[in-house]
Amino acid sequence: MAPVFEYAPAPESRAIADIAPSYGLFIDGEFVEAADGKVFKTVSPSTEEVLSEIARAGSEDVDRAVKAARRAFEKWSALPGAERAKYLFRIARIIQERSRELAVLETLDNGKPIKETRDADLPLVAAHFFYYAGWADKLDHAGYGANPRPLGVAGQVIPWNFPLLMLAWKIAPALATGNTVVLKPAETTPLSALFFADICRQAGLPKGVVNILPGYGDAGAALIAHPDVNKVAFTGSTAVGKEIARTVAGTRKKVTLELGGKGANIVFDDAPIDQAVEGIVNGIFFNQGQVCCAGSRLLVQESIQEELLESLKRRLSTLRLGDPLDKNTDIGAINSEEQLTRITSLVEQGEAEGAERWSPACELPESGYWFAPTLFTNVTQAHTVARDEIFGPVLSVLTFRTPDEAVAKANNTPYGLSAGIWTEKGSRILAVANKLRAGVVWSNTFNKFDPTSPFGGYKESGFGREGGRHGLEAYLDV
Amino acid sequence: MPSSALTAAHPLKDVAASDSALRRFLHGLPGVDAVGLEGRAASLGTRSIKTTAKAYAIDLAISMVDLTTLEGADTPGKVRALGAKAVKPDPTDRTTPSTAAVCVYPDMVAVAKEAVAGSGVKVASVATAFPAGRAALDVKLADVRDAVAAGADEIDMVIDRGAFLSGRYLKVYDEITAVKEACGTSARLKVIFETGELSTYDNIRRASWLGMLAGADFIKTSTGKVAVNATPANTLLMLEAVRDFRAQTGIQVGVKPAGGIRTSKDAIKFLVLVNETAGEDWLDNHWFRFGASSLLNDLLMQRQKLATGRYSGPDYVTVD
């Protein structure tokens, strides 16, 4: 009898990321204390260890930062595009050079596996800066007329699930088009944005072009409401998105919102089963399911339900959960205690409503915030777990009989961010994709990103597009 | 008539009742998405295997090697040297496991058999007009019978790729069952698809099922004689096939990637594929093999490095 092939732990060294005991706000090219002296702590979700103490921005700091960005805007927007491109290319290269450090940092602060920060997040972050650097001197040819003008100061609020990637999505197009930026990272994951502030200094970026204000929702609200902010960009929950829409209604601010989702992953009976299983796993367990475009509703054709679920369960049993700094870890920690509580309560509600819960045998670490990969079967459209965004490693499995039924169920949601189609039949991919009300439709793959392709939602998943040529429009006066 | 591994009562026994039934079955298998398959193989290739896991993997890989010489210039002396190396791969460290087998042409089986006598190392032979397979069936069967009569424990047969690619699946099936019968009860049958010539992943999956239905004890990627041999992706695909075949029939079939695996690092990646696809039931040289000749020395050098903390060099392992 062969002994089991136990992989020895292969942790990445955390010494690569040199985290200071405290950080200030980054305003006008300098790290400064908050005006009211407030601070908060950021912890590592996998160990609950305090990583650093961070200055907490208040409305006075927001005002200071917006004023700095306004002053910087005059010079920055007047630079030729090719000059702005040089700075962006330089930032992109520094990100590549420091990618190992940033990957470790992001894993410590967010809880996601190093495998994902190293192989997905950081390459995409650099790619976004490279991509928009390329656009900076070609704005005349972007399809928005000759010499399109920047908007001014962009107030940007980003979430904790992809801290550095969301920063790149926001800052790269803003700078390429000549805007200046005040960005508020999420309170649970401020570190990579502060390291990015250091990268801006390393790149010699003029003072005030990028300002970083770690803080809570009050700082975000003050930023969005600030009268001298011309453009609001937000990624986060639908509830907050609605508040923002109310705040900016009637002002001249331009706004893009990238909100929640409840993506349908549709598997037809002629699908490549083994690859579909991988796509389902990638769709909902990537970043512990804390992905707005996660494929959290599996719609499987009834005729192959049994076979597919068996394969899926077998595959889930091979997922490795644990220390996110271990290079062999597939599933890391949930970002915060608050999020863990939300996931737990929604899953309990799913059970109470009669859906069948399943998880592989899986030992959870004692400290930190953890949730085992979970499947719900016997789910119907009427179940909460099929309607509400859980934002965790929880997959709801529903069935359908015909392509029309699949489309109807996939669209029967207040959201519309992403969807997936699995079939070997090309004509079916095109026919179904055309009927799905979702900003992104992946076929025979899931959760694939590229700076050149636009991303955004329908319905309560928000409006506006980020990425690609379309992503420029949100930062130009067109 | 030759009989396949499936008994009369088995639900899959009728799939080879006619050419059209067999075609319907093979074309009804789930498709393979190339991008997804290669992506999965690449992501498993990023597993980091260190320290105790690495030591375990290296010994396991050594025990899975089919140490191979398939040259026109093979002589008894060369085969005897290979046999000695298979039995004691590292004369400086007697804790090193033996390889699984030595793999030779049929006329060298008797020499190989003598060279490994009493060691537990098997003798495998590539019969059936290897590597092209372009000979009449009775010639192929005679080749197999010669090898078996000389004491071969395992027969590596090549399929008729021409028949497969032109859709004559039943012809391929019948040849495999005939060879299986010629192997008798003493030799296990490895069926080589030459995946590089089958070209598509869909074909490789169909060939895998065809081979298993016809009674293969092992399915093997390639001869090592063409441009594209074993890859992580085609091996992953074949591992999925044996896993699914066992789930449906209860019959376990082995997998042997061959050709192009030269480093310990590569070999360990293949073991990760086995571990996370087919599972630990296949982590044993009865169910998984490496068809390789130059891999062994790299495994030995890595093993010495783990034991001593230092790299030695090619002169610290035997040439063959």
Side-chain angles (χ1 to χ4, degrees):
Chain A
M1 189 60 204
V4 185
F5 190 8
E6 289 282 6
Y7 303 168
E12 178 60 276
S13 164
R14 58 173 297 168
I16 295 167
D18 187 13
I19 302 173
S22 67
Y23 287 93
L25 314 168
F26 185 69
I27 298 175
D28 210 14
E30 304 293 336
F31 285 102
V32 297
E33 304 285 307
D36 57 10
K38 280 191 183 164
V39 292
F40 67 100
K41 291 179 168 56
T42 186
V43 302
S44 178
S46 60
T47 57
E48 296 175 60
E49 167 206 1
V50 174
L51 294 171
S52 188
E53 199 173 73
I54 316 283
R56 177 178 167 171
S59 54
E60 209 173 312
D61 305 303
V62 168
D63 192 51
R64 259 199 301 170
V66 173
K67 286 205 168 87
R70 175 60 59 197
R71 281 194 302 275
F73 176 70
E74 301 310 323
K75 280 187 180 166
W76 180 251
S77 60
L79 283 181
E83 286 301 308
R84 290 199 304 273
K86 282 186 195 169
Y87 288 106
L88 286 168
F89 278 123
R90 207 177 292 157
I91 289 172
R93 286 193 303 269
I94 296 171
I95 287 169
Q96 283 185 324
E97 282 159 15
R98 294 178 64 173
S99 64
R100 200 159 153 227
E101 171 194 2
L102 293 166
V104 171
L105 179 77
E106 196 84 313
T107 289
L108 281 169
D109 204 17
N110 170 280
K112 64 168 75 183
I114 185 81
K115 193 174 86 171
E116 291 179 9
T117 55
R118 179 193 65 189
D119 299 344
D121 291 11
L122 264 299
L124 275 170
V125 169
H128 269 274
F129 278 98
F130 277 120
Y131 175 75
Y132 280 111
W135 269 117
D137 61 347
K138 301 173 193 71
L139 298 176
D140 288 353
H141 311 287
Y144 303 115
N147 195 24
R149 303 298 305 151
L151 298 168
V153 175
Q156 307 177 323
V157 177
I158 57 168
W160 44 259
N161 58 346
F162 292 91
L164 199 54
L165 183 60
M166 291 301 106
L167 174 148
W169 281 25
K170 298 277 184 293
I171 291 184
L175 298 194
T177 46
N179 300 272
T180 54
V181 164
V182 179
L183 177 130
K184 188 199 88 69
E187 68 270 18
T188 60
T189 55
L191 286 177
S192 51
L194 292 165
F195 272 54
F196 179 79
D198 184 50
I199 288 171
C200 290
R201 293 214 294 201
Q202 201 182 335
L205 193 72
K207 290 180 174 194
V209 173
V210 168
N211 304 274
I212 308 281
L213 297 182
Y216 283 66
D218 57 327
L223 176 60
I224 278 149
H226 196 287
D228 212 18
V229 163
N230 308 94
K231 150 79 186 176
V232 168
F234 173 75
T235 295
S237 73
T238 293
V240 175
K242 287 179 179 173
E243 260 177 60
I244 291 171
R246 278 185 218 107
T247 308
V248 299
T251 70
R252 295 175 59 106
K253 288 175 188 169
K254 241 183 137 167
V255 63
T256 45
L257 300 175
E258 203 267 273
L259 310 175
K262 191 73 186 172
N265 211 352
I266 307 169
V267 183
F268 289 99
D269 58 4
D270 64 346
I273 297 289
D274 290 302
Q275 286 75 48
V277 166
E278 289 308 317
I280 294 162
V281 168
N282 189 36
I284 184 61
F285 299 115
F286 182 65
N287 196 12
Q288 296 72 247
Q290 302 168 136
V291 182
C292 48
C293 54
S296 52
R297 282 184 299 150
L298 175 64
L299 293 176
V300 53
Q301 194 150 11
E302 265 185 37
S303 49
I304 56 159
Q305 181 194 12
E306 213 171 299
E307 186 188 344
L308 186 76
L309 280 177
E310 201 178 302
S311 297
L312 188 58
K313 285 179 176 178
R314 185 184 54 225
R315 176 68 178 86
L316 293 196
S317 306
T318 68
L319 286 175
R320 305 167 66 87
L321 179 144
D323 178 7
L325 277 177
D326 188 331
K327 294 165 197 160
N328 289 327
T329 293
D330 298 316
I331 304 272
I334 301 298
N335 182 253
S336 64
E337 192 172 11
E338 186 191 353
Q339 185 59 20
L340 180 61
T341 308
R342 178 177 157 78
I343 297 168
T344 309
S345 93
L346 277 163
V347 164
E348 278 164 7
Q349 193 173 343
E351 272 189 301
E353 288 175 16
E356 203 170 299
R357 176 180 177 178
W358 182 90
S359 287
C362 174
E363 218 172 288
L364 300 181
E366 279 174 15
S367 61
Y369 317 124
W370 301 89
F371 200 87
T374 299
L375 275 187
F376 271 115
T377 50
N378 289 338
V379 177
T380 71
Q381 290 290 104
H383 282 92
T384 307
V385 289
R387 306 206 68 78
D388 284 14
E389 185 180 35
I390 298 174
F391 223 65
V394 182
L395 179 67
S396 299
V397 183
L398 298 99
T399 62
F400 67 89
R401 295 159 299 179
T402 64
D404 287 345
E405 188 182 351
V407 169
K409 282 184 168 166
N411 287 339
N412 180 218
T413 164
Y415 297 108
L417 198 50
S418 73
I421 304 169
W422 296 85
T423 169
E424 284 280 279
K425 196 166 170 166
S427 58
R428 182 177 287 152
I429 290 173
L430 297 175
V432 172
N434 274 331
K435 293 176 193 157
L436 290 173
R437 306 280 295 161
V440 188
V441 180
W442 283 291
S443 60
N444 289 340
T445 188
F446 211 94
N447 268 347
K448 286 277 183 285
F449 297 95
D450 190 283
T452 62
S453 68
F455 182 91
Y458 281 59
K459 297 190 272 186
E460 290 204 12
S461 291
F463 45 77
R465 293 291 179 265
E466 294 183 288
R469 185 182 63 84
H470 305 69
L472 294 167
E473 187 183 357
Y475 289 93
L476 290 172
D477 187 13
V478 294
Chain B
M1 271 301 283
S3 61
S4 84
L6 301 175
T7 58
H10 200 277
L12 285 181
K13 74 172 170 42
D14 289 332
V15 300
S18 69
D19 217 355
S20 60
L22 188 54
R23 179 178 297 111
R24 268 199 305 280
F25 176 81
L26 295 176
H27 285 256
L29 293 167
V32 185
D33 186 84
V35 176
L37 177 72
E38 288 167 7
R40 172 68 176 150
S43 89
L44 283 176
T46 68
R47 290 287 194 221
S48 183
I49 306 298
K50 304 254 184 243
T51 61
T52 51
K54 187 171 179 183
Y56 170 78
I58 286 175
D59 276 8
L60 186 61
I62 291 171
S63 79
M64 288 171 163
V65 167
D66 281 1
L67 198 59
T68 301
T69 183
L70 296 170
E71 294 167 16
D74 283 345
T75 59
K78 163 90 178 166
V79 170
R80 272 195 289 273
L82 196 75
K85 172 133 182 174
V87 175
K88 288 196 182 70
D90 185 350
T92 67
D93 184 351
R94 297 301 167 96
T95 64
T96 312
S98 301
T99 69
V102 287
C103 183
V104 295
Y105 277 118
D107 63 329
M108 287 292 161
V109 167
V111 179
K113 198 70 189 165
E114 204 185 312
V116 300
S119 67
V121 174
K122 307 272 195 252
V123 173
S125 183
V126 289
T128 69
F130 181 92
R134 303 233 74 94
L137 180 59
D138 51 356
V139 174
K140 292 180 183 175
L141 292 177
D143 204 14
V144 173
R145 284 190 202 104
D146 278 355
V148 172
D153 304 294
E154 296 166 2
I155 295 296
D156 290 28
M157 81 168 281
V158 288
I159 64 161
D160 182 342
R161 280 87 77 189
F164 185 92
L165 289 170
S166 60
R168 288 172 290 145
Y169 299 128
L170 197 57
K171 177 170 192 291
V172 181
Y173 179 93
D174 286 342
E175 260 193 35
I176 298 171
T177 52
V179 172
K180 170 78 177 167
E181 191 167 75
C183 289
T185 50
S186 62
R188 291 173 86 203
L189 175 63
K190 306 198 193 97
V191 177
I192 307 172
F193 303 133
E194 199 68 295
T195 48
E197 290 184 357
L198 297 188
S199 178
T200 70
Y201 289 124
D202 286 327
N203 274 345
I204 296 170
R205 173 165 288 176
R206 286 173 195 140
S208 299
W209 278 82
L210 179 59
M212 293 186 290
L213 288 166
D217 297 301
F218 255 91
I219 53 176
K220 176 174 168 184
T221 56
S222 40
T223 60
K225 303 279 185 192
V226 296
V228 180
N229 293 288
T231 64
N234 63 29
T235 305
L236 172 59
L237 178 55
M238 286 163 64
L239 287 163
E240 288 169 354
V242 294
R243 176 198 71 197
D244 294 346
F245 188 75
R246 189 179 72 169
Q248 273 202 39
T249 66
I251 299 166
Q252 187 164 347
V253 175
V255 175
K256 177 177 172 185
I261 306 163
R262 293 193 176 84
T263 65
S264 304
K265 205 170 175 178
D266 285 344
I268 290 171
K269 286 179 185 177
F270 278 84
L271 292 181
V272 169
L273 295 179
V274 177
N275 190 38
E276 300 202 30
T277 307
E280 60 189 73
D281 289 355
W282 270 265
L283 279 175
D284 178 302
N285 70 6
H286 197 70
W287 301 114
F288 194 80
R289 295 281 177 85
F290 290 107
S293 41
S294 59
L295 170 63
L296 182 59
N297 273 358
D298 192 62
L299 287 165
L300 295 175
M301 283 193 279
Q302 288 294 329
R303 195 176 190 278
Q304 290 176 352
K305 197 260 170 177
L306 278 184
T308 65
R310 288 177 298 279
Y311 280 106
S312 49
D315 286 343
Y316 292 81
V317 290
T318 57
V319 287
D320 61 20

